[in-house]
Amino acid sequence: QVHLVESGGGSVQAGGSLRLSCAASAYTRMAWFRQAPGKEREGVAVIDSWGTTYYTDSVKGRFTISQDNAKNTLYLQMDSLKPEDTAMYYCAARIGQCYGPACLGRNLYSSWGQGTQVTVSS
C-alpha cells in the first residue's frame, strides 16, 4: 500500500491562492478529495489513466491538478478561493486503470493521506 503525505494547506482570504502537494512513496495514480464538516467526502480533481483531467463543477476554472511522475508528487493549484472551499483536503491513490469523470468516485481509491486543512475566510 502506497504512503501519501499532503502539505500546503493553510488559511487565506477569499480570492487568494494555495498550492497543495501530495508526496507518494511510489508511483501511482492519484486524485484530490475534500471533506467539509458535516458533509460527504467529495472528489475534487483527478488525472485519469489517459492523462485527462477532471474536476468537480464547483472548482472548474479555479483549480488545476498536475502530477510530477519523477517525484511521485501530485499538486493542486487552487486560485480564486471561496469560503465554500473550506475543507480538509486529501489525496488518494487508486489501483488499476480508470477513465473519465468516474475517476472522481472515492470507492476507487484504496490509500489515503492524513489530509491538510484549507480555510478560506470572507
Side-chain angles (χ1 to χ4, degrees):
Q1 195 169 17
V2 66
H3 184 58
L4 306 171
V5 179
E6 303 98 333
S7 61
S11 297
V12 296
Q13 291 191 326
S17 297
L18 284 172
R19 188 191 194 206
L20 305 184
S21 299
C22 175
S25 57
Y27 173 77
T28 184
R29 285 294 189 183
M30 296 180 279
W32 286 103
F33 291 78
R34 67 184 180 186
Q35 187 167 19
K39 294 189 176 181
E40 294 280 323
R41 189 170 298 188
E42 67 167 342
V44 175
V46 66
I47 304 173
D48 78 357
S49 298
W50 284 118
T52 304
T53 57
Y54 294 91
Y55 301 89
T56 192
D57 286 345
S58 62
V59 309
K60 286 179 181 177
R62 301 188 297 120
F63 289 11
T64 304
I65 188 172
S66 61
Q67 185 163 344
D68 185 333
N69 294 332
K71 297 181 179 179
N72 296 333
T73 301
L74 185 73
Y75 302 99
L76 186 66
Q77 178 66 42
M78 305 187 295
D79 298 317
S80 302
L81 282 161
K82 303 176 180 180
E84 50 264 44
D85 294 318
T86 295
M88 186 72 79
Y89 283 71
Y90 300 89
C91 65
R94 66 178 182 268
I95 299 173
Q97 304 298 312
C98 183
Y99 304 95
C103 298
L104 285 169
R106 63 182 183 178
N107 59 312
L108 298 174
Y109 296 82
S110 57
S111 298
W112 295 81
Q114 82 289 348
T116 186
Q117 178 68 38
V118 172
T119 302
V120 185
S121 58
S122 57

